[in-house]
Amino acid sequence: MEQSLYQRLDLLLTAGQINQTIKEAVVDFALAVEEKFKLQLNEENAVMLITHLAMALARILRGEEVEGLAEEALDELRNKKAFQEMPALYLELEKKLTFTIPEAEKNYITLHTCVLVANYLNENE
């Protein structure tokens, strides 16, 4: 994971937007994505995923909920390579946290992850 992404997480931590546990969980998730899909996360390809994941986890801790992703969007994601890998990635992420990630948040994280991987692999599905 590129240093600029660590710095982004440090800024969110310093600003009180996330806590240390969330920062560590996001880093672990990012490293797992890199390993699973053999790619390098950087500012250009992963800033949306890293920022969204960190803020989503902070929202969950505050008890805030988000609207679910449209079913049509989920249908499109089901064809992406990363989609089938997401349950295992979530399982590991939730082991590091003291809470379960709601399905609506998982769907948005899945969206960001699938788009990142699809762009990296040049999927045109």
Side-chain angles (χ1 to χ4, degrees), residues 20-69:
Q20 185 65 33
T21 300
I22 289 174
K23 177 187 171 190
E24 291 170 7
V26 171
V27 168
D28 290 346
F29 181 86
L31 295 175
V33 167
E34 284 184 324
E35 183 178 326
K36 175 77 65 185
F37 301 106
K38 308 297 183 233
L39 56 89
Q40 175 70 38
L41 298 185
N42 58 49
E43 186 76 22
E44 184 179 326
N45 67 13
V47 69
M48 288 293 291
L49 172 62
I50 297 301
T51 304
H52 179 86
L53 178 57
M55 298 309 295
L57 298 177
R59 260 195 314 276
I60 295 165
L61 277 181
R62 292 191 303 267
E64 298 173 16
E65 296 181 15
V66 295
E67 286 285 321
L69 196 60

Short mmCIF file of all heavy atoms in Angstrom, two decimals, residues 20-69:
data_model
loop_
_atom_site.label_atom_id
_atom_site.label_comp_id
_atom_site.label_asym_id
_atom_site.label_seq_id
_atom_site.Cartn_x
_atom_site.Cartn_y
_atom_site.Cartn_z
N GLN A 20 -7.87 4.25 16.30
CA GLN A 20 -6.72 3.41 15.94
C GLN A 20 -7.17 2.03 15.44
O GLN A 20 -6.59 1.49 14.51
CB GLN A 20 -5.77 3.27 17.13
CG GLN A 20 -4.50 2.52 16.82
CD GLN A 20 -3.60 3.24 15.82
OE1 GLN A 20 -3.55 4.46 15.78
NE2 GLN A 20 -2.90 2.48 15.00
N THR A 21 -8.19 1.48 16.05
CA THR A 21 -8.69 0.16 15.64
C THR A 21 -9.18 0.20 14.19
O THR A 21 -8.89 -0.70 13.40
CB THR A 21 -9.81 -0.32 16.58
OG1 THR A 21 -9.30 -0.39 17.91
CG2 THR A 21 -10.35 -1.67 16.15
N ILE A 22 -9.92 1.25 13.86
CA ILE A 22 -10.41 1.39 12.48
C ILE A 22 -9.25 1.56 11.53
O ILE A 22 -9.21 0.92 10.47
CB ILE A 22 -11.41 2.56 12.37
CG1 ILE A 22 -12.72 2.20 13.08
CG2 ILE A 22 -11.65 2.96 10.91
CD1 ILE A 22 -13.73 3.32 13.17
N LYS A 23 -8.28 2.38 11.89
CA LYS A 23 -7.12 2.57 11.03
C LYS A 23 -6.44 1.23 10.75
O LYS A 23 -6.15 0.90 9.59
CB LYS A 23 -6.11 3.54 11.66
CG LYS A 23 -4.86 3.71 10.83
CD LYS A 23 -3.81 4.54 11.53
CE LYS A 23 -2.51 4.48 10.74
NZ LYS A 23 -1.39 5.04 11.45
N GLU A 24 -6.20 0.47 11.79
CA GLU A 24 -5.53 -0.82 11.62
C GLU A 24 -6.37 -1.79 10.79
O GLU A 24 -5.84 -2.53 9.97
CB GLU A 24 -5.21 -1.41 12.99
CG GLU A 24 -4.13 -0.63 13.71
CD GLU A 24 -3.95 -1.04 15.17
OE1 GLU A 24 -4.59 -2.04 15.61
OE2 GLU A 24 -3.19 -0.36 15.88
N ALA A 25 -7.68 -1.78 11.00
CA ALA A 25 -8.57 -2.67 10.25
C ALA A 25 -8.57 -2.30 8.77
O ALA A 25 -8.56 -3.18 7.90
CB ALA A 25 -9.99 -2.60 10.82
N VAL A 26 -8.57 -1.01 8.46
CA VAL A 26 -8.54 -0.56 7.07
C VAL A 26 -7.22 -0.96 6.41
O VAL A 26 -7.21 -1.43 5.27
CB VAL A 26 -8.78 0.97 6.96
CG1 VAL A 26 -8.54 1.48 5.55
CG2 VAL A 26 -10.20 1.32 7.41
N VAL A 27 -6.13 -0.77 7.12
CA VAL A 27 -4.82 -1.17 6.57
C VAL A 27 -4.80 -2.67 6.30
O VAL A 27 -4.39 -3.11 5.22
CB VAL A 27 -3.67 -0.76 7.53
CG1 VAL A 27 -2.36 -1.43 7.12
CG2 VAL A 27 -3.51 0.76 7.54
N ASP A 28 -5.27 -3.46 7.25
CA ASP A 28 -5.30 -4.92 7.06
C ASP A 28 -6.17 -5.31 5.87
O ASP A 28 -5.82 -6.19 5.09
CB ASP A 28 -5.77 -5.62 8.33
CG ASP A 28 -4.75 -5.56 9.45
OD1 ASP A 28 -3.59 -5.21 9.20
OD2 ASP A 28 -5.15 -5.86 10.60
N PHE A 29 -7.33 -4.66 5.74
CA PHE A 29 -8.22 -4.93 4.61
C PHE A 29 -7.53 -4.59 3.29
O PHE A 29 -7.55 -5.37 2.35
CB PHE A 29 -9.52 -4.12 4.76
CG PHE A 29 -10.51 -4.35 3.66
CD1 PHE A 29 -11.41 -5.41 3.72
CD2 PHE A 29 -10.57 -3.50 2.56
CE1 PHE A 29 -12.34 -5.63 2.71
CE2 PHE A 29 -11.49 -3.71 1.54
CZ PHE A 29 -12.38 -4.77 1.62
N ALA A 30 -6.89 -3.42 3.25
CA ALA A 30 -6.19 -2.99 2.03
C ALA A 30 -5.08 -3.96 1.66
O ALA A 30 -4.93 -4.33 0.49
CB ALA A 30 -5.64 -1.57 2.22
N LEU A 31 -4.32 -4.38 2.64
CA LEU A 31 -3.24 -5.34 2.37
C LEU A 31 -3.79 -6.68 1.89
O LEU A 31 -3.21 -7.32 1.01
CB LEU A 31 -2.37 -5.52 3.61
CG LEU A 31 -1.58 -4.27 4.04
CD1 LEU A 31 -0.86 -4.52 5.36
CD2 LEU A 31 -0.64 -3.79 2.97
N ALA A 32 -4.93 -7.09 2.44
CA ALA A 32 -5.57 -8.33 2.00
C ALA A 32 -6.06 -8.21 0.55
O ALA A 32 -5.92 -9.15 -0.24
CB ALA A 32 -6.73 -8.69 2.92
N VAL A 33 -6.60 -7.05 0.18
CA VAL A 33 -7.03 -6.81 -1.20
C VAL A 33 -5.83 -6.88 -2.13
O VAL A 33 -5.89 -7.51 -3.19
CB VAL A 33 -7.78 -5.47 -1.33
CG1 VAL A 33 -7.95 -5.05 -2.79
CG2 VAL A 33 -9.14 -5.54 -0.63
N GLU A 34 -4.74 -6.24 -1.72
CA GLU A 34 -3.52 -6.29 -2.54
C GLU A 34 -3.06 -7.72 -2.76
O GLU A 34 -2.73 -8.11 -3.88
CB GLU A 34 -2.40 -5.48 -1.88
CG GLU A 34 -2.54 -4.00 -2.01
CD GLU A 34 -1.35 -3.26 -1.43
OE1 GLU A 34 -0.78 -3.70 -0.40
OE2 GLU A 34 -1.01 -2.22 -1.99
N GLU A 35 -3.04 -8.48 -1.69
CA GLU A 35 -2.56 -9.86 -1.79
C GLU A 35 -3.51 -10.73 -2.62
O GLU A 35 -3.09 -11.48 -3.49
CB GLU A 35 -2.39 -10.45 -0.40
CG GLU A 35 -1.84 -11.86 -0.41
CD GLU A 35 -1.63 -12.40 0.99
OE1 GLU A 35 -1.29 -11.62 1.91
OE2 GLU A 35 -1.82 -13.61 1.17
N LYS A 36 -4.79 -10.61 -2.34
CA LYS A 36 -5.79 -11.45 -3.00
C LYS A 36 -5.82 -11.22 -4.51
O LYS A 36 -5.94 -12.16 -5.29
CB LYS A 36 -7.17 -11.15 -2.40
CG LYS A 36 -8.34 -11.84 -3.05
CD LYS A 36 -8.49 -13.29 -2.69
CE LYS A 36 -8.80 -13.49 -1.24
NZ LYS A 36 -8.83 -14.92 -0.89
N PHE A 37 -5.68 -9.95 -4.94
CA PHE A 37 -5.83 -9.62 -6.36
C PHE A 37 -4.51 -9.25 -7.03
O PHE A 37 -4.50 -8.83 -8.18
CB PHE A 37 -6.86 -8.51 -6.53
CG PHE A 37 -8.20 -8.91 -6.00
CD1 PHE A 37 -8.67 -8.38 -4.80
CD2 PHE A 37 -8.97 -9.86 -6.66
CE1 PHE A 37 -9.90 -8.77 -4.30
CE2 PHE A 37 -10.19 -10.25 -6.16
CZ PHE A 37 -10.66 -9.70 -4.97
N LYS A 38 -3.41 -9.40 -6.29
CA LYS A 38 -2.08 -9.15 -6.84
C LYS A 38 -1.99 -7.76 -7.47
O LYS A 38 -1.61 -7.58 -8.61
CB LYS A 38 -1.70 -10.21 -7.88
CG LYS A 38 -1.87 -11.64 -7.42
CD LYS A 38 -0.96 -11.95 -6.27
CE LYS A 38 -1.09 -13.43 -5.88
NZ LYS A 38 -1.38 -13.64 -4.48
N LEU A 39 -2.36 -6.76 -6.68
CA LEU A 39 -2.28 -5.38 -7.16
C LEU A 39 -1.68 -4.48 -6.10
O LEU A 39 -1.55 -4.88 -4.94
CB LEU A 39 -3.65 -4.87 -7.61
CG LEU A 39 -4.81 -4.91 -6.61
CD1 LEU A 39 -4.88 -3.65 -5.79
CD2 LEU A 39 -6.10 -5.11 -7.37
N GLN A 40 -1.29 -3.29 -6.49
CA GLN A 40 -0.70 -2.31 -5.58
C GLN A 40 -1.69 -1.16 -5.41
O GLN A 40 -2.05 -0.50 -6.38
CB GLN A 40 0.62 -1.79 -6.17
CG GLN A 40 1.27 -0.67 -5.38
CD GLN A 40 1.83 -1.13 -4.04
OE1 GLN A 40 2.36 -2.22 -3.94
NE2 GLN A 40 1.70 -0.30 -3.03
N LEU A 41 -2.13 -0.93 -4.17
CA LEU A 41 -3.04 0.17 -3.90
C LEU A 41 -2.23 1.46 -3.79
O LEU A 41 -1.20 1.51 -3.12
CB LEU A 41 -3.82 -0.07 -2.62
CG LEU A 41 -4.72 -1.30 -2.59
CD1 LEU A 41 -5.52 -1.33 -1.31
CD2 LEU A 41 -5.63 -1.36 -3.80
N ASN A 42 -2.73 2.48 -4.47
CA ASN A 42 -2.07 3.78 -4.43
C ASN A 42 -3.12 4.89 -4.39
O ASN A 42 -4.31 4.63 -4.43
CB ASN A 42 -1.11 3.94 -5.63
CG ASN A 42 -1.82 3.78 -6.96
OD1 ASN A 42 -2.86 4.38 -7.20
ND2 ASN A 42 -1.26 2.97 -7.83
N GLU A 43 -2.65 6.11 -4.33
CA GLU A 43 -3.53 7.27 -4.23
C GLU A 43 -4.49 7.32 -5.42
O GLU A 43 -5.67 7.64 -5.26
CB GLU A 43 -2.70 8.56 -4.17
CG GLU A 43 -3.50 9.81 -3.92
CD GLU A 43 -3.96 9.97 -2.47
OE1 GLU A 43 -3.35 9.37 -1.56
OE2 GLU A 43 -4.92 10.73 -2.25
N GLU A 44 -4.02 6.98 -6.58
CA GLU A 44 -4.84 7.08 -7.79
C GLU A 44 -5.95 6.04 -7.82
O GLU A 44 -7.09 6.35 -8.16
CB GLU A 44 -3.97 6.92 -9.03
CG GLU A 44 -4.72 7.09 -10.32
CD GLU A 44 -3.82 6.95 -11.52
OE1 GLU A 44 -2.64 7.35 -11.44
OE2 GLU A 44 -4.30 6.41 -12.53
N ASN A 45 -5.65 4.80 -7.46
CA ASN A 45 -6.66 3.75 -7.64
C ASN A 45 -7.45 3.41 -6.37
O ASN A 45 -8.51 2.80 -6.47
CB ASN A 45 -6.03 2.47 -8.22
CG ASN A 45 -5.06 1.78 -7.29
OD1 ASN A 45 -4.97 2.04 -6.11
ND2 ASN A 45 -4.31 0.84 -7.84
N ALA A 46 -6.97 3.79 -5.20
CA ALA A 46 -7.61 3.30 -3.98
C ALA A 46 -8.08 4.37 -3.00
O ALA A 46 -8.61 4.03 -1.94
CB ALA A 46 -6.65 2.35 -3.27
N VAL A 47 -7.93 5.63 -3.32
CA VAL A 47 -8.29 6.67 -2.36
C VAL A 47 -9.78 6.58 -1.99
O VAL A 47 -10.14 6.74 -0.82
CB VAL A 47 -7.89 8.08 -2.86
CG1 VAL A 47 -8.72 8.51 -4.05
CG2 VAL A 47 -7.97 9.08 -1.73
N MET A 48 -10.65 6.30 -2.96
CA MET A 48 -12.08 6.20 -2.66
C MET A 48 -12.36 5.02 -1.73
O MET A 48 -13.11 5.14 -0.77
CB MET A 48 -12.89 6.06 -3.95
CG MET A 48 -12.96 7.32 -4.78
SD MET A 48 -13.89 8.63 -3.97
CE MET A 48 -15.53 7.94 -4.04
N LEU A 49 -11.76 3.89 -2.01
CA LEU A 49 -11.98 2.70 -1.19
C LEU A 49 -11.49 2.93 0.24
O LEU A 49 -12.22 2.68 1.20
CB LEU A 49 -11.27 1.48 -1.79
CG LEU A 49 -11.25 0.22 -0.92
CD1 LEU A 49 -12.65 -0.30 -0.65
CD2 LEU A 49 -10.38 -0.85 -1.54
N ILE A 50 -10.28 3.40 0.38
CA ILE A 50 -9.68 3.58 1.71
C ILE A 50 -10.48 4.60 2.53
O ILE A 50 -10.81 4.37 3.69
CB ILE A 50 -8.20 4.02 1.59
CG1 ILE A 50 -7.37 2.93 0.90
CG2 ILE A 50 -7.62 4.41 2.94
CD1 ILE A 50 -7.36 1.60 1.59
N THR A 51 -10.80 5.73 1.91
CA THR A 51 -11.53 6.78 2.63
C THR A 51 -12.94 6.31 2.97
O THR A 51 -13.40 6.49 4.10
CB THR A 51 -11.58 8.07 1.79
OG1 THR A 51 -10.24 8.45 1.48
CG2 THR A 51 -12.27 9.20 2.54
N HIS A 52 -13.62 5.71 2.00
CA HIS A 52 -14.99 5.25 2.26
C HIS A 52 -15.01 4.19 3.36
O HIS A 52 -15.85 4.26 4.26
CB HIS A 52 -15.66 4.69 1.00
CG HIS A 52 -17.04 4.20 1.30
ND1 HIS A 52 -18.13 5.03 1.27
CD2 HIS A 52 -17.49 2.99 1.71
CE1 HIS A 52 -19.20 4.34 1.64
NE2 HIS A 52 -18.82 3.10 1.90
N LEU A 53 -14.12 3.24 3.30
CA LEU A 53 -14.09 2.19 4.31
C LEU A 53 -13.86 2.77 5.70
O LEU A 53 -14.58 2.44 6.65
CB LEU A 53 -13.02 1.15 3.97
CG LEU A 53 -12.86 0.01 4.96
CD1 LEU A 53 -14.16 -0.75 5.17
CD2 LEU A 53 -11.75 -0.93 4.49
N ALA A 54 -12.89 3.65 5.83
CA ALA A 54 -12.59 4.25 7.13
C ALA A 54 -13.79 5.02 7.67
O ALA A 54 -14.18 4.87 8.83
CB ALA A 54 -11.37 5.17 7.02
N MET A 55 -14.41 5.83 6.82
CA MET A 55 -15.55 6.63 7.26
C MET A 55 -16.78 5.77 7.52
O MET A 55 -17.56 6.05 8.43
CB MET A 55 -15.85 7.73 6.24
CG MET A 55 -14.69 8.73 6.06
SD MET A 55 -14.06 9.42 7.62
CE MET A 55 -15.48 10.35 8.18
N ALA A 56 -16.96 4.71 6.74
CA ALA A 56 -18.09 3.80 6.96
C ALA A 56 -17.97 3.13 8.33
O ALA A 56 -18.95 3.03 9.07
CB ALA A 56 -18.14 2.76 5.85
N LEU A 57 -16.77 2.67 8.66
CA LEU A 57 -16.57 2.02 9.96
C LEU A 57 -16.81 3.01 11.10
O LEU A 57 -17.40 2.65 12.13
CB LEU A 57 -15.18 1.40 10.02
CG LEU A 57 -14.92 0.28 9.00
CD1 LEU A 57 -13.48 -0.22 9.11
CD2 LEU A 57 -15.91 -0.86 9.13
N ALA A 58 -16.39 4.25 10.92
CA ALA A 58 -16.64 5.28 11.94
C ALA A 58 -18.14 5.56 12.06
O ALA A 58 -18.65 5.72 13.18
CB ALA A 58 -15.88 6.56 11.59
N ARG A 59 -18.85 5.60 10.94
CA ARG A 59 -20.31 5.80 10.95
C ARG A 59 -21.00 4.68 11.73
O ARG A 59 -21.91 4.93 12.51
CB ARG A 59 -20.86 5.80 9.52
CG ARG A 59 -21.12 7.12 8.93
CD ARG A 59 -22.00 7.06 7.68
NE ARG A 59 -21.65 6.04 6.71
CZ ARG A 59 -20.73 6.17 5.77
NH1 ARG A 59 -20.03 7.30 5.68
NH2 ARG A 59 -20.49 5.19 4.92
N ILE A 60 -20.56 3.46 11.51
CA ILE A 60 -21.16 2.32 12.19
C ILE A 60 -20.98 2.47 13.71
O ILE A 60 -21.92 2.25 14.47
CB ILE A 60 -20.55 0.99 11.70
CG1 ILE A 60 -20.90 0.78 10.22
CG2 ILE A 60 -21.03 -0.18 12.54
CD1 ILE A 60 -20.06 -0.29 9.54
N LEU A 61 -19.80 2.87 14.12
CA LEU A 61 -19.54 3.07 15.56
C LEU A 61 -20.44 4.15 16.15
O LEU A 61 -20.83 4.07 17.32
CB LEU A 61 -18.08 3.44 15.80
CG LEU A 61 -17.09 2.30 15.89
CD1 LEU A 61 -15.68 2.84 16.16
CD2 LEU A 61 -17.48 1.30 16.95
N ARG A 62 -20.77 5.15 15.35
CA ARG A 62 -21.65 6.24 15.82
C ARG A 62 -23.12 5.85 15.72
O ARG A 62 -23.99 6.64 16.10
CB ARG A 62 -21.40 7.51 15.01
CG ARG A 62 -20.04 8.15 15.24
CD ARG A 62 -19.94 9.53 14.61
NE ARG A 62 -20.22 9.55 13.19
CZ ARG A 62 -19.30 9.45 12.22
NH1 ARG A 62 -18.03 9.33 12.55
NH2 ARG A 62 -19.65 9.50 10.95
N GLY A 63 -23.41 4.68 15.18
CA GLY A 63 -24.80 4.24 15.07
C GLY A 63 -25.54 4.82 13.88
O GLY A 63 -26.77 4.74 13.82
N GLU A 64 -24.82 5.40 12.94
CA GLU A 64 -25.45 5.99 11.76
C GLU A 64 -25.65 4.91 10.69
O GLU A 64 -24.83 4.00 10.55
CB GLU A 64 -24.58 7.11 11.20
CG GLU A 64 -24.39 8.25 12.18
CD GLU A 64 -23.38 9.28 11.68
OE1 GLU A 64 -23.05 9.30 10.48
OE2 GLU A 64 -22.92 10.07 12.53
N GLU A 65 -26.74 5.02 9.96
CA GLU A 65 -27.04 4.06 8.91
C GLU A 65 -27.04 4.75 7.55
O GLU A 65 -27.26 5.95 7.46
CB GLU A 65 -28.41 3.42 9.15
CG GLU A 65 -28.45 2.60 10.42
CD GLU A 65 -29.79 1.94 10.66
OE1 GLU A 65 -30.61 1.88 9.72
OE2 GLU A 65 -30.02 1.50 11.78
N VAL A 66 -26.81 3.97 6.50
CA VAL A 66 -26.87 4.49 5.14
C VAL A 66 -27.96 3.75 4.37
O VAL A 66 -28.35 2.64 4.73
CB VAL A 66 -25.52 4.34 4.39
CG1 VAL A 66 -24.44 5.18 5.03
CG2 VAL A 66 -25.10 2.89 4.29
N GLU A 67 -28.44 4.40 3.32
CA GLU A 67 -29.39 3.77 2.42
C GLU A 67 -28.69 2.63 1.69
O GLU A 67 -27.51 2.72 1.38
CB GLU A 67 -29.88 4.79 1.38
CG GLU A 67 -30.84 5.81 1.93
CD GLU A 67 -32.23 5.25 2.17
OE1 GLU A 67 -32.70 4.43 1.34
OE2 GLU A 67 -32.82 5.61 3.19
N GLY A 68 -29.42 1.61 1.38
CA GLY A 68 -28.85 0.48 0.66
C GLY A 68 -28.56 0.82 -0.79
O GLY A 68 -29.12 1.76 -1.36
N LEU A 69 -27.69 0.07 -1.37
CA LEU A 69 -27.31 0.21 -2.79
C LEU A 69 -28.45 -0.36 -3.64
O LEU A 69 -29.07 -1.36 -3.26
CB LEU A 69 -26.02 -0.56 -3.02
CG LEU A 69 -25.22 -0.32 -4.28
CD1 LEU A 69 -24.78 1.13 -4.39
CD2 LEU A 69 -24.00 -1.22 -4.29
#
